[in-house]
Amino acid sequence: MVTARAAATFDPDGRSAAAARGFVRDALLGWGLPEVVDDAVVLVSELVTNAVVHAGTAAEVCCLREEETVRIEVTDHHPERGLPSLGDGHRYADPDGEGGRGLLMCSALAERWGVEYAAGQKTVWFRLTLPAHVVGTRYAVPATPGSDLPSSPGPVHVAVVQLDEDGRVLAWNPDAAALFQYPATAVLGRPWADLAVWPQSPGRGLGLTDTLRLARWEGGYGVRRADGEEVEVYGVQVRVRDTEGVPSTLCLLVLEPDRAVLRSPARTLPGERPDPTGPRLDLLAGPVDTDDLDTLLQRTVERARDLLDADAAYLLLTSDDETEFELRAAAGLNHGHRRHARFPVGTGNRYDSARLPSVHEDLAARPTGLPLLADSGMRSLVTVPLKVEGRLIGSLGIATAVPGRYDNEDALRLQFAADRVALAVESTRLTELERLRRGSLSFLVEASDLLAGTLEHEQTLALMAQMAVPTLSSWCAVYTNGDHGASAGLAFVLHEDEDRIDPLRDLLDKTPAPEAGPTHGVRFWTAPAGTAEALGLTDGPELAGLLGETVVLPLTARNRVIGLLALGVPSGVRFRQEILELAEDLSRRAALALDNSRLYSERTATSQALQRSLLPPDLPEIPGVEVDVYYQAAGEGNEVGGDFYDLFTIREGTYGFAIGDVCGTGPEAASVTGLARHSLRLLAREGLDAPQVLRRLNAAILDEGSRSRFLTLLYGELTPRPDGSTELSLVCAGHPLPLRLRTDGRVDRAATPQPLLGVMDDLDLTAEHLVLSPGEVLLCVTDGVTERREGRRMLGDDGLAEVLTGCTGLTAGAVALRVQRAVERFAPEPPSDDMAILTLRVPTQRTA
């Protein structure tokens, strides 16, 4: 005899098998038959897959509950597919094959099975025997009211009202019309809030809208009849979903005197006074603080433990995909289980379901698979799910050391209380997740800004560690890969306690660096703890409690692992999943910043080495002439400047000097600078005079073709004379004119402008001669000095001459320093162009 029936049809697409599994699971669990759920789900999954994937038709699934068995039928509309025998060697007999595997499994798991053909369809059915009840776990279902049934003068009307997601009336049965005097046509589509008179309790309880979203609720309130009179009703409401997943609320209502028809019985705990309205558990006990989830959960488990006279209680929350439980609060479990420990939702034996209230009568006779209770000494356990809109969000459990302590009534009372607290928990959890999300975004934005603010390699390493500690972990170590495939080396260590940095570094130095591994993802790393144990350091004061869970994240930039980031927490602490996800985001940003700093450091080192090669290593000593040079490259040192200078010996008693500026910066300018400097020395030593040297240099620059750059150059030759003066021969090819400081403070130009180099083939250059008397100074600069600007103001030749006027009597070095300071002080911003200053001074003769 069939006592219950459930049926659904599934479209021929890839999601149908999963939907069919959920349908069968919900149907059997709703009938209180968890013992056959697993076998039924496996068989239906295979048969529906055959129908929708292989046969390519819709599948109809029908569940029939019989007195001692469950019969499940799967019907498709492709009957011409044959049915090979299971033992003839065909593919159906292959356990690893796709086709026919459902029939093979039916023969292994079902008590009976068969195939029925009809016009245009084929049905595969199987029966599963319902096992006898075993001691250990029972699923809590309401008991019959028994003697509590009311004495009513007339028929008892049970109104059935179905409400949609927005709280509007979808269905209204005849008993509802009789109780409330509204015909169905008058109420369909109306908001339930227009009829329900909901009790208002400021600061406590839930409103009507929130209550309608609970998985299950029962209690009393008022309903306004058609004649305006308010009647007191007792109701039970259950949140359900249709075959398309659309939620609705089913309300069963009776008049208040008839409440025993619907009301679930509950027994009085020792020490409680009997309540004529029935004792209820209130796990909230006051207003809910939606800003502190941990406090709410801890208060909930402590009240659940106390109200049900338990020895321990715990509360688990599910992950986003409902595949894992996370321990968020516990009371009375003091044997080392840590908060945020994770367990699969399916943990336990095959008959345990996290989606139904369960009574575990004796954990010694039939232990639960939950590691949380292993070796806890608990014997009785009640678990109830926390659900919101039919979605599992957590599980609440209470336990005691006495076997057989709890029954169905305890489970149902705890379930009703859990239903009332579930919405508050979910709301607070969403608030916490939003706060964490915003905090994570702010953290990553700040980290990105800080990491982008420097290109120094060492500073980037320090910033990476400071970002991680203490926000993500208690300590951090950064490993960077060596050159030419060398293994990673320890580059930086940081601990939130500065006194522990050195012991931690010593330990990590003795621990082999972690392997590079994959280019993404978190890996747990146990090597530091193993090294500490092998060296006998675990009990020492320096490392006590230091090493708990440790993870390693690759630092991947430009599809290459450039290092590793190790994060650790103290013993007894575990990383939360959201912390690990945040650490992955940080590692990606930090890796790119670290690689940028490495590339910048390498480029800076190369540029600085090239810049040094373009300047003379030492200046020769010139008898009777003071020489001083000041050179400053603009920018951050990663570009080769175009300014250069030189001072060299041409022949005995004659010296050459030059100061020039190549157009542009970088490698192209550096090539012309090197060409100019070395050509000047070579040509001058060949005996050519100044104009000839520059004409040959001009030809060499033009020979470079597209790589050439124009060049401004001041080139001169000086010869000290016996009378203490110095004779100079100058050619100023497009360069700022040299200035001569006389002993009386007058400043005049020491040369006239001539064409620059690298532009025209034939240059008409002439040498200009002058003699520096003792005490006189020749100042040569690049345009970085004369073109120093502040807004629309420019230092210029006149400003430089004014500075030089005040240098009478100063040494060559003092003159160069005063000019340099005048340039820097001319504007508050740092100089934007390279600057070279060359000063020549003939010292005054001292009389005996």
Side-chain angles (χ1 to χ4, degrees), residues 668 671-672 700-710 758:
E668 294 83 0
S671 65
V672 176
I701 294 174
L702 292 176
D703 287 344
E704 292 294 307
S706 61
R707 296 179 299 175
S708 65
R709 293 288 187 275
F710 67 81

Side-chain angles (χ1 to χ4, degrees), residues 328-351:
R328 293 299 301 267
L333 295 174
N334 300 317
H335 54 282
H337 285 287
R338 298 168 290 187
R339 285 185 60 208
H340 308 299
R342 289 179 173 256
F343 318 102
V345 167
T347 297
N349 56 59
R350 61 180 293 186
Y351 300 119

Side-chain angles (χ1 to χ4, degrees), residues 126-200:
F126 60 87
R127 274 194 173 92
L128 299 174
T129 303
L130 299 178
H133 171 72
V134 295
V135 175
T137 299
R138 287 180 287 108
Y139 287 88
V141 295
T144 55
S147 60
D148 291 336
L149 285 174
S151 172
S152 177
V156 176
H157 294 286
V158 180
V160 180
V161 181
Q162 188 172 10
L163 309 175
D164 66 11
E165 176 69 5
D166 298 323
R168 296 181 180 274
V169 178
L170 283 176
W172 185 268
N173 77 334
D175 277 9
L179 280 179
F180 307 127
Q181 302 176 358
Y182 288 103
T185 56
V187 294
L188 292 179
R190 290 184 60 182
W192 183 235
D194 291 352
L195 306 179
V197 181
W198 196 256
Q200 301 295 325

Side-chain angles (χ1 to χ4, degrees), residues 17-42:
R21 290 195 297 269
F23 164 72
V24 171
R25 180 184 294 106
D26 291 343
L28 297 182
L29 291 178
W31 292 343
L33 304 175
E35 295 87 351
V36 297
V37 166
D38 288 346
D39 289 345
V41 164
V42 169

